[in-house]
Amino acid sequence: MCYGRFRNVATDGLRPPAPPPPTNHSILTTRTHARILEGQTVIVPGTDLTGAFRDQYTRTYRHMLLARVLEDRLAAVYRAGGKIVGGVYVGRGQEAFSAALGVQLRKGHDVYGPLIRDQAGRIAFGEPILDAIRTYLGSIKGPMRGRDGNIHRGRPREGMPPMISHLGSFTAVINGMLMARRLQGREAERAVGGTGIGDGGLSTGAFHEALNQAAVERLPLVVAVANNQYAYSTPTSRQFACHDLIDRARGYGVRGQVVDGTDLAACLKAFTDAVQRARAGEGPQVVIGKLLRLSGHGEHDDASYVDPALRKGQAGRDCLEVAQTFLLDQDWATAAELSAWQREAESEVDAAFAIVYREALPDPYQESWQALSRADLVEGSSHAGPEL
Amino acid sequence: MSITYLEAIRLAQQEALASDPRVFLYGQDIGAFGGAFKATKGLHEAFPGRVIDAPISEDAMVGMAIGAAIEGMRPIIEMQFADFSSVGFNQIVNNAGTQFYRTDVPCPITVRLPSGGTPGSGPFHSQSLDSIYAHYPGLVILTPATVEDAYTMLLEAVQIDDPTLFCEHKYLYYHLKADALPDEALPVGRARIARPGIHATVVAYSAMVHESLRAAEELAAEGWQIEVVDLRSVKPMDTDTILGSVARTGRLLAVGETFPWGGATAEVISRVASEGFHLLDAPPQRLNSKDTPIPYHPNLWKVHRPTAQTIASSLRQLLRY
Ligand SMILES: Cc1ncc(C[n+]2csc(CCOP(=O)(O)OP(=O)(O)O)c2C)c(N)n1
C-alpha cells in the first residue's frame, strides 16, 4: 500500500524532538525558512506564522492525519475481502492540498464539491468519517444507502453534493449552486464554492465548459487542480501539451497559482488567498498543486508504471511527513503530541467502524426502486423490471 | 385571438417566471435576442437577470441547472435544438437522472428540446430524442402535440420535482393554432383520445398525432373509423389508455418520428403484446422514421419520417389482416 521510501505514520517511529523552539512564533527561524523554500513555487515568506496560522496548520494537519488513517483502514478492509466491494480510492500524498481547500470553507455557508482523492478535504469541510465508512460498506444509515458507493457520496442539502464518476461534470454543478445564490439575491453572503479536478479530468470538455462558464459569470469558484502526474496510468505528457498548466488559467481569464502540493504551509497560503479573492468578488480562482499520487489509481492497482525518479523528487514527498517535520521544527507539536494525535485518529476510526459494522445493509425487498421523487409519475410495476 | 404552439411556450415561460421566483431561464441567445425561435421574446426585459444567455456549453448549461436546482431554484434550460442536447447528454442522464435515487434530494430541472424535423433542416437540426432519454431512469419525458398541452405541460414541467424533458416539436411551432389557452388540463402521465374510432388504434405523440389524424380522416372516407391516442408523455406512458383503446379496436399501429430501432413505439407494442395479447385481432404494427440520418432535401425528408400517407397505407394493411 505504501512505497518503501514513504514512512507510514501508522507504523513508523516519529522524528526525534525538534531543536529548541524559536522564542517568537510569529517569525520563522532562518534555518527553517530556508528549508521550506527549497523547490517551492509559491513563496512562503509573508506567511503569517502567528497563532492563527499555527492553529489552522495544526488543525489541518489533524484532518490530513485522520484521512490517512481512515483510508489506510479502508484499504486494509478492502484487501481483506468481503466487506468492501468495487474498490477503494485514496488520496494518499494529496491530503495537504485537499485539506487546505476544505478547511477554508464553512459548512452550512459555502459549497464544496470533493472529488476522488479528497477524503482530507471532506474531513476538513466537516463530513463525518461515518459517512465515508457507511458509504464504502453500504450501510443504510449512510447518505447513499447502498445506492452508490465509495467516493460517490455527499449531501446536496448540506452544500456538498455527491460527484458522479464522469470527470469534469461536477464543476458546472458547483457553478449552479453559486448561481442560485446570486439569483436568490444572496451574493452579499459571500459564499464560495470549492471543488477539485485532476490533471486527467482537466482534459474533459465538461471541465472546459464549466470553467469557462464560471469565468463568464465571474462566479466565486475555487478549483483545486491536483496535478499528481498520472491519470490512472497516463502520464501528463499524454494529457496536455501546454508548457505549464497555469497557462490554462490565463486562457480562461482566471487567476491561477501553482503550489508545491506536498507542503501544507504553501497550500494553506495559496488557498487562503484564492478563497479570499473569490469571496471578495474577484471571480474564479485556480490553484494547481504539484504532487504525486502515492498510491495506485485504486487499491487494486500497483502503480508499477510510475517513474521512480518522480517518487524521489520534490513532488514525491509525503505531505504528511513534511507537515510532521514542520510541526516539530516549529515546535508547534512535540513527538509525543504527534503520537497522541495518531492514536486519537486511530481510535476515532476504530469506533466509527465498530458502529458501522453493526448497521443494516440494504435490503432489496425494502428498497423503493423508485428513481423519481413524484411517485405518481413512476411507471407501473409491470414496466419497471423484475418482481422480487 | 389566435395562439400558436410557439407562443404558448413563450407564454408558459412568462407565466412561470411571473408566478414563481425560483424560475429562471438559461440558454443560448435567449436573452435580449429572444432565442433562435423567439420562444423567450421579451422575457429578458420583463424579468431582468432571470433570462440568461449561456455560452455554447450544453454540458455546463445542464450542470448549472442541476446545481441551481439543488439550491432550490427551478431552472428552465433551452437547448437551441434538441440535437445539441447530445452534448449535455451526460449531465441529463447521469447527473440529473440519478440524483434523487442516489441522494433523496429531487432535481427539478426542465430542459426544453426543440425537436423533430422541418424541411431543409438536415441531419443535425431535426432529431427527436424522446426515446433515447426515456430509456434512462429518473427522467420525465413530455411530448405535447397541441397548443393547449404545450402551455399547460410546460407549466407543469416546472412544477414537477424531477428532471423533465420537454420535447416541443418545431414543425408545430407555427402550424398549430388555438383560440385560447386552457384553464384545465389532463394530468401528466395521462394519454388523450384525440379521435375516437372502432376499427384500429393509432398510438402517436407530438407531431405524429397530426399526421395520424390526417390519415384517420383519409380512411374515414373509405369507411374506417380509426381511433387516435395522443400519448402526451412518452414517460410515464399511459398503458391503461392504450390497452383500453386496443380493447375497443383489436388493432394497433404505433407511430413515432424517432429512428426505428427500439424507442417509444417499440415500448407501446411490447406492452400491448404482453398485457393485451388477447385483445389483438392482428399483429401489432409500428411505423418510425427510416434508419438513416435525417436528410436535408425536402424530397427526401418528407418520406424519411412517417406521414399521413404512409400511416394510412400501414393502416390499410393492418385492417386487411
Ligand atoms: C469522463 C470519464 N472518463 C473516464 C473515466 C475513468 N477514470 C476514472 S478516474 C480516471 C483517471 C483520472 O485522472 P485524474 O483526473 O488525473 O485524477 P487522479 O485519479 O489522478 O486523481 C479515469 C480515466 C471517468 N471517471 N470519467
Side-chain angles (χ1 to χ4, degrees):
Chain A
M1 151 177 47
C2 79
Y3 298 109
R5 69 171 291 273
F6 300 120
R7 204 152 46 93
N8 185 334
V9 285
T11 49
D12 296 351
L14 291 161
R15 289 241 160 152
T23 45
N24 182 351
H25 286 306
S26 68
I27 46 160
L28 286 166
T29 63
T30 319
R31 184 187 62 82
T32 319
H33 201 167
R35 210 172 48 70
I36 299 168
L37 283 174
E38 277 170 20
Q40 254 174 219
T41 326
V42 159
I43 310 299
V44 168
T47 301
D48 170 22
L49 291 180
T50 55
F53 183 70
R54 170 187 174 160
D55 185 56
Q56 188 188 50
Y57 190 101
T58 313
R59 231 173 345 113
T60 313
Y61 168 76
R62 296 193 64 178
H63 296 320
M64 292 163 58
L65 177 65
L66 182 57
R68 177 72 62 93
V69 170
L70 170 63
E71 290 192 328
D72 280 351
R73 183 71 57 85
L74 287 165
V77 172
Y78 169 73
R79 238 171 257 117
K83 295 244 186 257
I84 295 177
V85 293
V88 170
Y89 302 89
V90 301
R92 191 180 190 85
Q94 303 190 191
E95 291 94 339
F97 189 65
S98 176
L101 172 57
V103 80
Q104 315 286 337
L105 306 172
R106 272 181 292 142
K107 197 164 167 222
H109 179 80
D110 294 316
V111 173
Y112 184 43
L115 238 66
I116 173 170
R117 309 203 189 277
D118 282 325
Q119 179 58 54
R122 288 171 179 272
I123 290 174
F125 183 66
E127 182 192 71
I129 63 167
L130 274 172
D131 275 16
I133 302 168
R134 283 172 167 154
T135 305
Y136 267 107
L137 293 170
S139 161
I140 54 166
K141 292 210 166 156
M144 310 314 279
R145 302 151 297 153
R147 293 175 176 193
D148 208 339
N150 48 61
I151 52 183
H152 305 89
R153 64 175 192 273
R155 295 179 182 268
R157 290 258 158 81
E158 295 177 21
M160 197 183 75
M163 60 178 273
I164 65 167
S165 294
H166 299 64
L167 294 166
S169 62
F170 202 21
T171 316
V173 175
I174 305 303
N175 288 348
M177 295 175 79
L178 298 171
M179 194 72 177
R181 285 150 199 252
R182 175 178 297 171
L183 290 160
Q184 289 159 358
R186 294 166 55 202
E187 252 179 326
E189 295 173 15
R190 299 240 169 257
V192 161
T195 191
I197 193 86
D199 44 279
L202 216 54
S203 304
T204 59
F207 179 75
H208 159 74
E209 288 192 7
L211 186 52
N212 181 61
Q213 177 183 59
V216 167
E217 293 295 345
R218 253 184 109 72
L219 293 171
L221 177 76
V222 178
V223 183
V225 179
N227 180 2
N228 65 10
Q229 316 304 325
Y230 288 88
Y232 207 153
S233 76
T234 304
T236 50
S237 61
R238 299 300 307 158
Q239 205 66 243
F240 48 82
C242 57
H243 173 64
D244 195 318
L245 284 182
I246 196 90
D247 296 342
R248 292 276 184 99
R250 281 191 206 108
Y252 291 102
V254 159
R255 196 168 170 284
Q257 306 177 55
V258 182
V259 291
D260 176 348
T262 66
D263 180 342
L264 177 58
C267 293
L268 282 171
K269 180 173 160 17
F271 281 113
T272 303
D273 177 68
V275 169
Q276 266 168 11
R277 285 174 187 274
R279 266 196 223 292
E282 290 184 28
Q285 308 287 318
V286 166
V287 180
I288 299 157
K290 288 195 172 167
L291 34 74
L292 183 66
R293 198 187 67 206
L294 303 185
S295 64
H297 171 63
E299 289 307 295
H300 56 277
D301 171 28
D302 69 3
S304 52
Y305 45 79
V306 171
D307 177 357
L310 280 172
R311 293 184 186 156
K312 294 198 190 81
Q314 180 84 5
R317 302 192 301 171
D318 182 340
C319 60
L320 209 61
E321 282 183 30
V322 174
Q324 284 161 7
T325 309
F326 187 84
L327 285 164
L328 294 171
D329 285 355
Q330 292 303 308
D331 200 28
W332 288 353
T334 63
E337 276 170 324
L338 291 185
S339 302
W341 293 346
Q342 170 90 26
R343 282 193 304 276
E344 265 178 58
E346 280 166 8
S347 36
E348 193 177 336
V349 169
D350 283 344
F353 266 94
I355 290 170
V356 180
Y357 277 146
R358 289 195 298 270
E359 288 173 356
L361 297 174
D363 175 352
Y365 294 92
Q366 300 292 314
E367 170 67 34
S368 73
W369 298 113
Q370 188 177 311
L372 294 174
S373 70
R374 276 276 298 266
D376 61 317
L377 298 182
V378 172
E379 294 265 37
S381 58
S382 57
H383 313 295
E387 291 286 334
L388 291 177
Chain B
M1 189 171 79
S2 162
I3 298 162
T4 62
Y5 183 93
L6 178 64
E7 180 64 0
I9 289 166
R10 197 190 73 80
L11 289 169
Q13 293 182 101
Q14 180 178 308
E15 170 67 22
L17 283 161
S19 60
D20 188 342
R22 301 171 303 173
V23 173
F24 73 98
L25 275 45
Y26 190 48
Q28 291 146 23
D29 307 296
I30 68 166
F33 185 65
F37 294 99
K38 301 292 172 219
T40 59
K41 190 168 171 232
L43 300 182
H44 176 73
E45 293 72 30
F47 302 96
R50 295 171 65 195
V51 182
I52 305 166
D53 279 327
I56 306 172
S57 298
E58 285 76 9
D59 184 291
M61 282 158 57
V62 180
M64 157 91 74
I66 294 166
I70 286 172
E71 293 291 302
M73 302 300 286
R74 298 267 158 169
I76 303 177
I77 299 298
E78 176 178 304
M79 290 291 166
Q80 203 155 68
F81 288 80
D83 311 56
F84 303 124
S85 73
S86 60
V87 180
F89 184 77
N90 177 52
Q91 294 283 10
I92 295 170
V93 306
N94 286 315
N95 217 345
T98 65
Q99 184 175 291
F100 173 73
Y101 184 71
R102 295 165 75 229
T103 67
D104 234 13
V105 175
C107 186
I109 70 170
T110 299
V111 183
R112 286 182 40 230
L113 301 176
S115 308
T118 50
S121 294
F124 312 114
H125 293 73
S126 304
Q127 293 169 28
S128 296
L129 297 177
D130 51 84
S131 291
I132 203 129
Y133 288 119
H135 180 70
Y136 279 84
L139 304 173
V140 176
I141 320 293
L142 308 184
T143 47
T146 65
V147 176
E148 292 82 353
D149 275 350
Y151 179 74
T152 58
M153 289 171 85
L154 183 49
L155 280 172
E156 193 162 351
V158 177
Q159 295 302 316
I160 291 173
D161 280 340
D162 296 294
T164 301
L165 296 161
F166 187 81
C167 306
E168 51 191 62
H169 203 292
K170 300 194 297 291
Y171 193 70
L172 305 181
Y173 272 173
Y174 316 100
H175 283 65
L176 275 192
K177 293 192 176 81
D179 291 335
L181 292 172
D183 301 323
E184 283 183 352
L186 283 175
V188 161
R190 283 277 297 283
R192 168 180 80 97
I193 307 291
R195 176 187 176 111
I198 52 172
H199 296 123
T201 295
V202 180
V203 173
Y205 58 97
S206 191
M208 287 299 122
V209 170
H210 303 284
E211 298 295 332
S212 303
L213 287 170
R214 276 194 282 280
E217 197 60 43
E218 207 176 308
L219 283 166
E222 299 162 25
W224 299 110
Q225 295 179 43
I226 307 298
E227 181 147 302
V228 178
V229 175
D230 170 7
L231 281 179
R232 298 178 71 248
S233 62
V234 157
K235 192 175 189 180
M237 184 178 278
D238 183 355
T239 316
D240 290 347
T241 297
I242 299 170
L243 286 170
S245 177
V246 174
R248 284 189 288 280
T249 65
R251 284 172 174 24
L252 170 67
L253 172 67
V255 182
E257 195 175 328
T258 57
F259 299 122
W261 203 97
T265 56
E267 187 67 29
V268 169
I269 302 289
S270 129
R271 291 181 187 201
V272 171
S274 65
E275 288 173 54
F277 194 68
H278 57 289
L279 306 172
L280 288 165
D281 298 327
Q285 301 297 313
R286 56 193 283 263
L287 195 59
N288 278 78
S289 80
K290 290 188 185 297
D291 194 20
T292 67
I294 301 161
Y296 157 73
H297 197 275
N299 288 355
L300 302 177
W301 175 75
K302 351 188 242 241
V303 297
H304 181 267
R305 61 174 206 152
T307 58
Q309 291 71 38
T310 53
I311 295 168
S313 73
S314 296
L315 279 168
R316 286 190 195 99
Q317 272 187 33
L318 178 65
L319 290 159
R320 268 201 298 274
Y321 183 89

